[in-house]
């Protein structure tokens, strides 16, 4: 293909070369190993002295297609596919860090990420300091010269959509000799290209918008070959966090509609956010597309003018018990939107973070993350916007 194609074209076109059959749709190579022409070639391939497939824990053509397409979209040299988004984050922390290293991360992130960085990693002698997503001074103050190796951010955050300044965090990390990793699951490269703002590594839960229709789990890490190929690629061969070829193929096909989905779902989310903001039973809406969002201007600059497809809102209520009951009532009155914790689907999903995605956190961690009992998260899909408004209106009318 010619050089310089727009990411929107790469989302449809970028993959490995066609096989000898000239298939138009990308082939699915369901195979765990590869037949070698002779023992000497096999030896060279296993020793990494010549390219060629050997075993699917090392590489697989369908997974390679997914990795090349995603790297093309993110504008990074390489990408590496992983079994899930959490496997991608695990690959980064276990593949790059060692005992004694220090990590700084936002305290308002995806629940499993907080759990992994805050609890699991500590068992291996890697300490994480959690700071405010939006207060650069806190990130700066947490740096331990020579010891801090990784700054980890997710923007916008799940579920409160706090936005951090990627460029500022990248500068901070690089001045301290650390890497910046950004979880870009909420926006995908269709709306935000974090490497372009200076992030060293861009992480994805491919389970969400990249796949787009809630069918399979997947993940990825994108970045320069010195990190992704040399360090993480070498590590995954032993660690085995690999993406399955079938799942890679499903996500690859999902990515063909990525740009059109992200823009349309974002527009639908904006409409819903404006409607919720005007509703008397709603006390607060969290959505970067709204003027009322604290980092609205920054978000518009980082996110190509779009707010993304996920929003959250607080229902009214006087006590934690009443807030929870009110939130449950709104969720339970939905007949179109799905009551499920997944996000990034073409189907709108509603969830109650305090008892689902953030349910495993201690009350203290949950308070720090700002996830109250009255909070509802909506991942807005492709339905006709008014039908989703009517769905939420039913429950809100009861409060
Ligand atoms: C879902 C999610 C993850 C984890 O991805 P899985 O594919 O479920 O392992 C990580 N980060 C964010 C922002 C997510 O929404």
């Amino acid at each position: 293909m010619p050089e310089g194609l727009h990411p929107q074209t790469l989302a449809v076109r970028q993959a490995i070369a066609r096989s000898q059959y000239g298939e138009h749709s990308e082939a699915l190579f369901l195979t765990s190993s590869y037949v070698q022409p002779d023992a000497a070639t096999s030896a060279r391939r296993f020793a990494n002295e010549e390219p060629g497939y050997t075993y699917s824990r090392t590489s697989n053509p369908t997974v390679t297609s997914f990795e090349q397409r995603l790297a093309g979209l993110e504008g990074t040299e390489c990408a590496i596919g992983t079994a899930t988004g959490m496997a991608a984050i695990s690959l980064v922390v276990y593949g790059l860090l060692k005992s004694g290293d220090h990590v700084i991360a936002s305290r308002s992130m995806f629940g499993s990420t907080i759990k992994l960085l805050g609890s699991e990693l500590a068992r291996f002698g890697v300490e994480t300091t959690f700071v405010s997503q939006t207060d650069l001074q806190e990130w700066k103050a947490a740096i331990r010269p020579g010891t801090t190796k990784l700054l980890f951010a997710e923007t916008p955050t799940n579920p409160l959509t706090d936005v951090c300044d990627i460029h500022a965090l990248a500068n901070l990390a690089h001045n301290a000799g650390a890497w910046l990793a950004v979880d870009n699951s909420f926006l995908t490269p269709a709306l935000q290209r974090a490497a372009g703002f200076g992030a060293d590594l861009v992480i994805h839960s491919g389970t969400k918008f990249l796949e787009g229709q809630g069918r399979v789990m997947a993940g990825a890490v994108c970045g320069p070959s010195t990190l992704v190929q040399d360090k993480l690629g070498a590590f995954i061969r032993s660690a085995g966090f690999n993406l399955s070829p079938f799942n890679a193929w499903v996500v690859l096909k999902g990515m063909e509609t990525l740009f059109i989905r992200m823009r349309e779902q974002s527009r639908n989310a904006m409409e819903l956010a404006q409607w919720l903001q005007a509703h008397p039973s709603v006390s607060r809406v969290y959505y970067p597309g709204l003027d009322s969002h604290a980092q609205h201007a920054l978000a518009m600059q980082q996110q190509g003018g779009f707010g993304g497809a996920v929003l959250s809102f607080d229902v009214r209520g006087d006590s934690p018990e009443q807030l929870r009951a009110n939130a449950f009532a709104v969720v339970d009155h939905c007949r179109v939107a799905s009551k499920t914790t997944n996000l990034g689907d073409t189907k709108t999903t509603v969830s109650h973070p305090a008892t689902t995605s953030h349910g495993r956190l201690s009350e203290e961690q949950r308070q720090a993350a700002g996830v109250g009992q009255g909070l509802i998260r909506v991942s807005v899909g492709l339905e006709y916007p008014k039908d989703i408004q009517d769905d939420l209106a039913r429950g809100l009318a009861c409060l």
Side-chain angles (χ1 to χ4, degrees), residues 133-200:
Q133 166 87 353
T134 53
D135 184 349
L136 198 63
Q137 289 314 315
E138 268 196 46
W139 289 80
K140 202 169 188 170
I143 286 187
R144 299 179 191 166
T147 309
T148 302
K149 292 290 161 56
L150 179 70
L151 270 58
F152 191 103
E154 176 187 305
T155 183
T157 55
N158 182 3
L160 293 180
T161 74
D162 286 334
V163 173
C164 63
D165 186 333
I166 301 171
H167 186 64
L169 284 183
N171 283 342
L172 200 63
H174 298 156
N175 286 337
W179 297 294
L180 172 67
V182 172
D183 183 334
N184 200 25
S185 305
F186 260 42
L187 294 175
T188 81
L191 301 186
Q192 174 171 276
R193 297 171 91 198
F197 294 106
D200 300 285

Side-chain angles (χ1 to χ4, degrees), residues 26-60:
E26 296 77 0
L28 168 49
F29 293 95
L30 274 184
T31 183
S32 38
S33 72
Y34 306 81
V35 178
Q36 306 300 320
D38 51 64
T41 308
S42 175
R44 285 195 302 277
R45 287 178 178 172
F46 270 88
N48 252 341
E49 288 163 11
E50 85 169 41
Y53 293 97
T54 54
Y55 190 61
S56 284
R57 179 153 39 73
T58 305
S59 54
N60 169 281

Side-chain angles (χ1 to χ4, degrees), residues 58-109:
T58 305
S59 54
N60 169 281
T62 309
V63 175
T64 303
S65 281
F66 161 74
E67 292 168 342
Q68 289 186 356
R69 182 170 291 176
L70 184 61
L73 293 185
E74 285 289 3
T76 57
E77 255 176 334
C78 303
I80 191 162
T82 56
T84 64
M86 289 319 300
I89 298 173
S90 296
L91 180 64
V92 168
V93 297
Y94 295 112
L96 294 182
L97 304 177
K98 62 177 188 326
S99 173
D101 285 348
H102 175 240
V103 179
I104 308 173
S106 156
R107 69 171 71 89
S108 52
M109 289 192 298

Side-chain angles (χ1 to χ4, degrees), residues 99-327:
S99 173
D101 285 348
H102 175 240
V103 179
I104 308 173
S106 156
R107 69 171 71 89
S108 52
M109 289 192 298
F110 184 63
S112 298
T113 310
I114 294 179
K115 201 89 184 157
L116 178 75
L117 296 180
S119 311
E120 308 297 350
L121 254 196
R123 290 190 291 118
F124 297 89
V126 176
E127 201 185 321
T128 301
T129 305
F130 290 99
V131 296
S132 155
Q133 166 87 353
T134 53
D135 184 349
L136 198 63
Q137 289 314 315
E138 268 196 46
W139 289 80
K140 202 169 188 170
I143 286 187
R144 299 179 191 166
T147 309
T148 302
K149 292 290 161 56
L150 179 70
L151 270 58
F152 191 103
E154 176 187 305
T155 183
T157 55
N158 182 3
L160 293 180
T161 74
D162 286 334
V163 173
C164 63
D165 186 333
I166 301 171
H167 186 64
L169 284 183
N171 283 342
L172 200 63
H174 298 156
N175 286 337
W179 297 294
L180 172 67
V182 172
D183 183 334
N184 200 25
S185 305
F186 260 42
L187 294 175
T188 81
L191 301 186
Q192 174 171 276
R193 297 171 91 198
F197 294 106
D200 300 285
L201 294 167
V202 182
I203 294 172
H204 281 283
S205 167
T207 316
K208 313 292 170 54
F209 291 100
L210 291 180
E211 198 275 341
Q213 293 178 60
R215 294 165 292 192
V216 299
M217 305 206 65
V221 183
C222 312
S225 61
T226 48
L227 284 179
V228 173
Q229 203 163 295
D230 300 351
K231 289 184 190 285
L232 302 184
F235 181 69
I236 203 171
R237 268 177 96 158
S238 315
F241 297 158
N242 307 65
L243 177 58
S244 90
F246 179 79
N247 290 5
W249 182 81
V250 174
V251 180
L252 192 65
K253 300 307 286 177
M255 284 163 75
E256 292 181 14
T257 56
L258 181 66
F259 278 77
I260 199 166
R261 281 188 284 107
M262 292 309 295
R263 289 180 187 149
E264 189 67 11
Q265 289 178 229
S266 246
R267 287 189 195 103
N268 289 351
M270 183 67 184
E271 234 182 284
L272 187 66
Q274 286 168 329
W275 176 82
L276 283 166
Q277 194 166 244
H279 198 289
S281 301
V282 172
S283 60
R284 183 160 173 199
V285 181
Y286 307 83
Y287 184 64
L290 293 174
D291 292 339
S292 58
H293 189 280
Q295 300 93 36
H296 173 67
L298 173 65
M300 292 301 98
Q301 179 220 329
Q302 282 183 175
Q303 305 175 191
F306 287 88
V310 181
L311 60 85
S312 292
F313 63 97
D314 280 316
V315 296
R316 290 199 187 280
D318 296 325
S319 63
E321 294 72 29
Q322 195 194 8
L323 285 166
R324 181 192 280 213
N326 286 352

